[in-house]
Amino acid sequence: MSAVYPIYFAGVAKSSGIAGDVWWGYATSAASLLIAALSPFIGAIGDFRGMKKRLLAFFLTVGVIFTLLMAITDHPVLMLVGYIFSFIGFEGSILFYDSFLTDVTTRDRMDRVSSYGYAMGYIGGSTIPFIISIALILFGGHFGIGGALAVKISVVMTAVWWALFSLPLLRHVKQIHYVDTPPARLVRHSLTNLRKTISEIFHNKKLLFFMIAYFFYIDGVGTVITMSTSYGSTLGLGSTGMILALMLTQLLAVPFSILFGRLSGKIGTLKMIQGGVLIYMIICLLGFYMGFSLEPHQRAYENAYNNAVTQADVPLDQATLSAIKVKGSALLSRPDRAEAFASMIDDLSLGKNPTEKARLEKLKSSVTVFLKDEQQAKGFTDAINFSTILFWMLAILVSTSQGGVQALSRSYFSKMIPPERSNESFGFFDIFGKFASVIGPFLYSFFAAVTGRSSIGILSLLLLFGIGFAALSRSKKQAQ
């Protein structure tokens, strides 16, 4: 979902004259804010006997239903609504899934179990359905399945896959650690335990500084995951190349997640997390350079296209002319841009009177000549090719640290909390992560909107990783 759907949404949004990456970022922030506000309370409720699995099942159901909604609409607002509630369902279920770590293993095995969990998740939860989705998108045309339909089928498959492979957990995993309380006192005891947990966090400096660090660096990690393909799509990178690069990320993340778990036993969990954060700082710098070097060429070619439309000097109403400029700009990065533009004009001609059709035909002939001029497009084409290589490099760098940082953060936190109150503690762990997830996409969207350059949005994420690294160093000193 994080690889394929943002590209599809960005295309739909751009055709409607909307900045897809900006609104995707705002939607991610809104969803993160909602689940963050709920996390401590529902986490505290989940600590009581029998509640952990029930709440996991509830959020799972919400996520699956709204993921299916995303497959049946092409209205940008409804697509974002489906995404927001699908996100809430996923993150809510993950809160309880993570807290089961204290129920399924012992403290000395947490790093390894958590790392293997992420590795297996990349294989079964990401790579297999991802490969099927890519096959549909790339080869579905041979069987009458267009690109849009392939994406929708992939979204439906994701929802079914998610529900189906959650069944073993729901059937076989038991909540061993819990707080026993009468149902009538559930809310009252939840609030009491919340106050107690807050007090304990603030008195445990090692835990406090780790959670502050986690607040910032996991925000950056999550933003890179959710915004990568939207960022690349906005820059005009080919969707097929980006999807294949992210498939490589999923494949390489399996051995690297396991490697992180093993090295943590030799080097130390905190040092491995710090190493991963440093790699993400390099990713931000490289991602910024990728966009910063491409954007001037992209803007120049878009301006040249708009001038070509204007200079065709065809008497069309302003709304039609604006639609041609907006929709045509979304086609400029395609190798077959001239053919795609001609097809777009043919679609616009449907239902027009003979005079309007003749005017559109004249415009098509004039602008198609411009779009076929390879010399005009050379600077933009060369910049896209170079940025595509950088995107592949970024995909490999992300694979080295993405799973490892998340897995070790989960296990390191699990070692510092009482197992019978794991849900409540993970509720705070989650709220730190999710409130942070509000900041990252918002930073990206804000700086991209204000500066008009998405590359500045990516660069702003350096601030999050820098603060996170500094707080990790402080937590390390408190542990010594």
Side-chain angles (χ1 to χ4, degrees):
M1 287 294 291
S2 62
V4 175
Y5 199 78
I7 299 174
Y8 179 67
F9 174 77
V12 173
K14 193 165 187 178
S15 296
S16 303
I18 299 170
D21 62 331
V22 171
W23 282 101
W24 190 261
Y26 286 144
T28 303
S29 292
S32 300
L33 182 63
L34 285 170
I35 189 62
L38 290 172
S39 291
F41 185 69
I42 61 175
I45 294 176
D47 277 328
F48 297 112
R49 183 199 290 264
M51 293 303 298
K52 185 183 292 192
K53 194 180 291 188
R54 291 177 189 174
L55 287 168
L56 189 154
F58 170 76
F59 281 99
L60 168 68
T61 303
V62 170
V64 169
I65 290 172
F66 280 93
T67 300
L68 290 171
L69 171 65
M70 295 166 67
I72 61 175
T73 180
D74 278 330
H75 191 290
V77 174
L78 291 178
M79 293 167 78
L80 287 176
V81 169
Y83 168 65
I84 287 171
F85 284 98
S86 172
F87 187 100
I88 290 170
F90 174 74
E91 295 295 345
S93 64
I94 284 295
L95 187 163
F96 299 103
Y97 169 79
D98 284 344
S99 68
F100 267 115
L101 183 62
T102 58
D103 294 301
V104 299
T105 190
T106 55
R107 188 178 185 279
D108 60 307
R109 297 178 66 239
M110 282 184 179
D111 285 347
R112 183 161 292 193
V113 170
S114 185
S115 297
Y116 269 93
Y118 265 95
M120 295 304 103
Y122 279 120
I123 295 173
S126 299
T127 303
I128 296 174
F130 196 12
I131 291 173
I132 297 172
S133 298
I134 291 172
L136 273 174
I137 292 167
L138 295 182
F139 308 114
H142 298 297
F143 309 99
I145 301 175
L149 180 58
V151 171
K152 292 176 182 295
I153 293 173
S154 298
V155 173
V156 172
M157 181 187 66
T158 299
V160 173
W161 193 279
W162 182 10
L164 184 63
F165 285 95
S166 297
L167 293 178
L169 185 153
L170 295 174
R171 291 186 62 186
H172 300 295
V173 177
K174 306 295 182 184
Q175 181 179 0
I176 297 173
H177 303 289
Y178 53 81
V179 177
D180 211 347
T181 192
R185 299 180 181 178
L186 202 62
V187 174
R188 181 180 176 183
H189 282 202
S190 296
L191 294 174
T192 300
N193 287 345
L194 276 175
R195 288 194 294 269
K196 184 177 180 181
T197 299
I198 292 172
S199 176
E200 289 175 354
I201 289 173
F202 277 94
H203 284 88
N204 185 339
K205 298 302 180 184
K206 175 186 173 183
L207 178 58
L208 177 62
F209 279 107
F210 172 74
M211 292 188 73
I212 292 172
Y214 181 78
F215 179 90
F216 287 100
Y217 74 73
I218 207 64
D219 181 11
V221 172
T223 305
V224 169
I225 293 171
T226 57
M227 300 302 298
S228 57
T229 53
S230 185
Y231 176 53
S233 183
T234 300
L235 295 176
L237 303 187
S239 58
T240 301
M242 286 193 292
I243 290 172
L244 290 173
L246 291 175
M247 184 180 74
L248 178 65
T249 299
Q250 304 298 315
L251 291 170
L252 292 179
V254 175
F256 277 112
S257 295
I258 295 171
L259 181 63
F260 256 70
R262 290 183 175 178
L263 289 177
S264 67
K266 299 178 181 179
I267 299 175
T269 306
L270 209 54
K271 286 183 179 178
M272 289 302 300
I273 296 174
Q274 284 182 306
V277 172
L278 285 174
I279 290 173
Y280 267 100
M281 294 175 78
I282 296 171
I283 289 168
C284 287
L285 289 170
L286 193 59
F288 162 72
Y289 179 69
M290 178 185 77
F292 196 76
S293 63
L294 172 59
E295 286 163 337
H297 298 284
Q298 181 187 37
R299 192 164 298 168
Y301 194 53
E302 286 181 355
N303 289 337
Y305 162 75
N306 288 331
N307 289 335
V309 173
T310 302
Q311 290 169 6
D313 197 25
V314 177
L316 295 170
D317 63 88
Q318 192 59 44
T320 302
L321 204 59
S322 297
I324 290 171
K325 288 182 177 181
V326 170
K327 292 182 178 181
S329 294
L331 307 173
L332 297 180
S333 61
R334 293 173 54 168
D336 63 339
R337 52 186 165 269
E339 293 79 5
F341 177 82
S343 177
M344 181 188 78
I345 296 298
D346 290 341
D347 290 341
L348 282 174
S349 297
L350 297 175
K352 302 288 186 181
N353 61 50
T355 301
E356 291 174 323
K357 285 184 177 180
R359 290 172 179 173
L360 287 170
E361 191 64 31
K362 180 184 176 183
L363 177 70
K364 181 173 76 173
S365 299
S366 177
V367 177
T368 299
V369 171
F370 163 78
L371 294 174
K372 287 182 177 179
D373 188 342
E374 295 298 330
Q375 196 59 39
Q376 286 270 12
K378 188 176 187 308
F380 184 38
T381 302
D382 289 347
I384 285 179
N385 292 337
F386 177 66
S387 292
T388 300
I389 294 171
L390 290 180
F391 192 89
W392 278 84
M393 293 173 61
L394 287 167
I396 293 171
L397 277 175
V398 168
S399 71
T400 64
S401 301
Q402 179 175 288
V405 166
Q406 294 178 92
L408 292 186
S409 297
R410 178 173 64 184
S411 60
Y412 188 73
F413 180 76
S414 295
K415 295 174 187 177
M416 294 188 286
I417 61 174
E420 72 278 1
R421 287 163 56 199
S422 61
N423 280 295
E424 183 183 332
S425 299
F426 267 100
F428 280 94
F429 187 71
D430 199 66
I431 194 174
F432 271 63
K434 297 305 172 293
F435 265 125
S437 296
V438 175
I439 299 173
F442 180 81
L443 272 179
Y444 172 91
S445 298
F446 176 78
F447 280 101
V450 169
T451 64
R453 305 191 73 155
S454 296
S455 59
I456 303 298
I458 287 293
L459 186 65
S460 69
L461 302 182
L462 261 181
L463 178 66
L464 303 175
F465 289 113
I467 296 174
F469 186 87
L472 279 175
S473 299
R474 187 67 184 270
S475 177
K476 184 178 177 181
K477 288 181 181 178
Q478 294 294 328
Q480 290 173 347

